């Protein structure tokens, strides 16, 4: 097992352990809030390769089910335009602390007639604006030995 794969598994195990061990009583009461959030991601993806740099505008949809104050699971579907021209589907496991959100997401990248396994790690910071949450987001995708840097903004709302 290579180091990157072991690191990915350790990160997933950490998220799962935290979710299972979290006490039920929390200082923040989710009983009166929506557990569901849907958002639109707008940003850019850049793949830094040895021979050249490829990038493309990125547009996506994000869904999260927050089952406690600190933990959520979700689904991300994105399309990267331009030089990359690929689709990304990932299932993030998120840890929330105040306005901060850290996540790890196994997934796949499809395009050019093939599919590759993907692993994403990311961070975002949410700002409340009325009923909308605006969250700058930075992600790093590991795909087939390559790294893809994704930066953008999520416009999300609970439902």
């Amino acid at each position: 097992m290579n180091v990157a794969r072991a690191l990915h598994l350790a990160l997933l195990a950490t998220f799962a352990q935290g979710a299972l061990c979290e006490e039920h009583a929390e200082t923040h009461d989710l009983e009166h809030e929506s557990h569901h959030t849907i958002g639109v991601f707008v940003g850019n993806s850049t793949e830094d390769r040895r021979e050249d740099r490829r990038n493309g505008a990125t547009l996506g949809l994000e869904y999260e089910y927050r089952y406690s104050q600190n933990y959520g699971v979700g689904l991300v579907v994105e399309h990267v335009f331009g030089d990359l021209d690929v689709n990304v589907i990932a299932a993030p496991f998120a840890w929330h602390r105040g306005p901060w959100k850290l996540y790890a997401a196994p997934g796949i990248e499809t395009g050019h007639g093939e599919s590759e396994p993907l692993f994403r790690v990311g961070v975002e910071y949410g700002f409340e604006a009325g009923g909308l949450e605006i969250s700058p987001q930075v992600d790093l995708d590991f795909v087939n030995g390559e790294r893809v840097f994704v930066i953008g903004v999520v416009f999300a709302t609970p439902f």
Side-chain angles (χ1 to χ4, degrees):
M1 179 183 301
N2 67 28
V3 174
R5 192 168 300 240
L7 193 62
H8 296 161
L9 291 173
L11 194 57
L12 280 173
T14 301
F15 278 110
Q17 179 185 14
L20 293 174
C21 294
E22 182 181 11
E23 292 186 29
H24 189 65
E26 298 178 59
T27 58
H28 183 72
D29 185 11
L30 281 179
E31 292 296 320
H32 305 295
E33 293 183 17
S34 174
H35 292 271
H36 305 274
T37 304
I38 192 156
V40 174
F41 175 82
V42 179
N44 191 70
S45 298
T46 302
E47 180 181 63
D48 203 5
R49 306 179 85 188
R50 292 181 186 180
E51 53 285 346
D52 63 0
R53 176 177 263 189
R54 301 184 313 163
N55 65 52
T58 306
L59 184 61
L61 291 174
E62 297 188 1
Y63 165 77
E64 182 179 16
Y65 174 73
R66 209 156 149 187
Y67 55 89
S68 76
Q69 175 192 3
N70 294 328
Y71 296 98
V73 294
L75 180 66
V76 171
V77 178
E78 295 174 348
H79 182 76
V80 183
F81 299 88
D83 299 334
L84 294 171
D85 193 30
V86 295
N87 297 305
V88 171
I89 300 170
F93 297 91
W95 176 70
H96 295 265
R97 181 63 75 195
W100 289 98
K101 176 179 169 182
L102 302 172
Y103 48 91
I108 60 170
E109 177 185 278
T110 63
H112 313 289
E114 56 187 50
S115 294
E116 310 259 12
L118 168 141
F119 189 80
R120 171 175 285 186
V121 292
V123 61
E124 68 181 56
Y125 186 90
F127 297 94
E128 294 292 327
L132 193 65
E133 183 176 285
I134 301 169
S135 304
Q137 184 180 94
V138 178
D139 301 327
L140 183 59
D141 292 352
F142 299 92
V143 185
N144 195 26
E146 305 278 341
R147 291 184 308 246
V148 180
F149 181 66
V150 184
I151 188 166
V153 178
V154 176
F155 300 92
T157 186
F159 69 95

